[in-house]
Every structure is written in structure tokens, then in C-alpha cells.
Amino acid sequence: MQLFERLSALMDQKGKTIEDLKNAVGVSYEMARRYKLGIAEPRKDKLERIAEFLEVEPSWLQFGAGIPALEDHNGLNESEDTIVIDVLNVEASAGNGSLGDLVEVVKKLHYVPEQFHTYFRGINPDNIRIINVRGDSMHPTFNAGDMIFVDITTCYFDGDGVYVFSYKGATYVKRLQSLGDHLLVISDNPIYREWSINEENYEQLHIQGKVKVHQSQRLNFIG
């Protein structure tokens, strides 16, 4: 299900009209109609207004992830009966440099326990953080705006795989591959060249975690 399908279904469920959507978001009637039909997709600020108007989380509306409402989840107590995954804090290791491949869009996701354990089999929710991908360097594995789910307990090189790491003030989502005395940094998009982190520069490498799952319109498990 895509964003406009969730939007349309929820509007119909709540008895909201295109005129209501237009007034709540501050757009023209034609633009509101386009949102509902999927002809146009709202920008981040408009998406947040739509989510507030429909009383759902922006991340649920955009990605279908977690549970819809911010409050009153069919009587569930958020602190006791939902699992909350927070955004990954990359600023500490990134210093004052660019965030590189990452951009924070969602702040947290809420899951009922059954849903979380279905999606994240064998993963401790306390160890998972989320963040969004920016750019196309990991296409087709990840696309811009995709959410990645990171195991923050793997803050060291734990064999070849996809990692979130900071290096010389920038933060990356790349494959790391061990080649003897250096690590090869690989982008899945072939238009980006590989580069290396040599052993003498390891002290400037700060691994934030290892990517376990990513989500665009569906969850994809990373091998």
C-alpha cells in the first residue's frame, strides 16, 4: 500500500473530504485532490500537516511502518504495551562535519510487540535505531528516503556487511569489506568508486552500528 492509498482510506474512514484536507493543509483544492489520488506527493511540511489532521504518525502515513495513531492505540499504553524505536544519534561521532549519506526524517516508530517480533525476528528492540538514507550511492539496495534499522551493539567491524560509520567528520552508509591491512568502502551503485580506510587511519573510523533491515514500502532483510 502506498502513501496515497493510506491517506485515501483513512480520509474515507474518518469521513473527511478533499475540502477538509485542503483547509487543513493549506493547499488548493486541486492539490489536495492530487494528494488523495496519488498524482502528487506532499512535501515533508505538508505531510506533517496531513498527519496531524488525520491524527496519525507521519512515518505511518509515509511508510506504513509502526502503528498509526500517536495516542489511544486501541487502549494500548504507549510506555508499556508498545515498542518504540528511536532515531540513531549520529552527531556524536560525526563531529561538526556533514551527515553524508544520512538525513533524519522520522524521529521514532511505534510497534505493538507482536508486530515488532514478526518483522524483527530474534532482534532485541533495545539495540535497534532507525535513520533515513540520503542520496543514491547505495541504490538499488537502498533508495533516498528509505529507513534503515541499525543494530547499535555492533559498534566495531564484525565481518563484511553494511554499516553506519563516521570517518573524518562525515557519516556514511556503506559496505565495509576487510582486505588485510585496510577496509574497502563500497557503494552498491556502480557509478560511485570504491575507496579505502587504511590501518593507520582506523582511529578516525567510528562505527555506529550494522544495518539489519531496511524499509521502503516493505521490509528487506540485509545479508
Side-chain angles (χ1 to χ4, degrees):
M1 183 179 287
Q2 299 182 50
L3 186 157
F4 79 92
E5 294 173 305
R6 285 186 288 274
L7 169 61
S8 180
L10 199 54
M11 285 180 61
D12 292 344
Q13 177 186 327
K14 290 177 175 286
K16 303 295 186 181
T17 66
I18 294 176
E19 185 70 23
D20 294 331
L21 180 64
K22 160 184 155 314
N23 294 333
V25 182
V27 296
S28 67
Y29 183 92
E30 176 59 22
M31 183 57 71
R33 186 184 74 86
R34 287 170 174 260
Y35 290 162
K36 192 170 189 288
L37 295 177
I39 300 171
E41 189 162 312
R43 300 193 312 264
K44 182 175 183 288
D45 59 329
K46 305 297 185 187
L47 180 71
E48 290 174 346
R49 291 184 191 177
I50 294 171
E52 183 179 0
F53 164 60
L54 294 173
E55 300 179 310
V56 296
E57 292 184 4
S59 57
W60 178 84
L61 193 59
Q62 185 172 17
F63 299 105
I67 53 182
L70 286 168
E71 298 176 353
D72 191 23
H73 308 305
N74 295 321
L76 289 176
N77 182 300
E78 185 171 295
S79 63
E80 296 178 0
D81 297 316
T82 65
I83 291 174
V84 179
I85 303 181
D86 292 316
V87 73
L88 175 66
N89 180 6
V90 297
E91 295 179 356
S93 295
N96 295 321
S98 166
L99 289 182
D101 293 334
L102 305 180
V103 57
E104 295 180 7
V105 177
V106 297
K107 292 300 180 185
K108 59 181 60 179
L109 293 178
H110 300 255
Y111 292 89
V112 293
E114 295 82 359
Q115 183 186 38
F116 178 87
H117 294 301
T118 297
Y119 289 159
F120 302 91
R121 294 180 296 275
I123 297 176
N124 185 339
D126 294 337
N127 300 339
I128 295 294
R129 300 293 184 273
I130 55 170
I131 203 157
N132 293 85
V133 178
R134 174 170 59 189
D136 64 351
S137 69
M138 288 298 287
H139 177 80
T141 306
F142 309 138
N143 293 305
D146 283 1
M147 292 186 296
I148 57 175
F149 295 73
V150 183
D151 182 353
I152 60 171
T153 62
T154 309
C155 52
Y156 53 91
F157 181 75
D158 184 38
D160 297 354
V162 180
Y163 292 84
V164 177
F165 64 92
S166 299
Y167 182 66
K168 293 187 175 180
T171 302
Y172 302 94
V173 182
K174 304 289 186 192
R175 292 191 186 276
L176 292 180
Q177 180 180 347
S178 177
L179 288 179
D181 61 351
H182 67 279
L183 291 175
L184 190 63
V185 182
I186 304 169
S187 298
D188 285 0
N189 189 332
I191 69 171
Y192 291 87
R193 300 179 65 177
E194 299 172 349
W195 49 282
S196 297
I197 301 175
N198 297 322
E199 195 171 33
E200 58 266 27
N201 292 321
Y202 280 1
E203 62 182 22
Q204 299 184 69
L205 171 66
H206 303 280
I207 292 177
Q208 308 267 357
K210 193 171 187 179
V211 179
K212 293 295 186 181
V213 184
H214 105 272
Q215 179 176 335
S216 49
Q217 290 298 319
R218 59 188 179 88
L219 291 172
N220 300 272
F221 289 81
I222 307 303

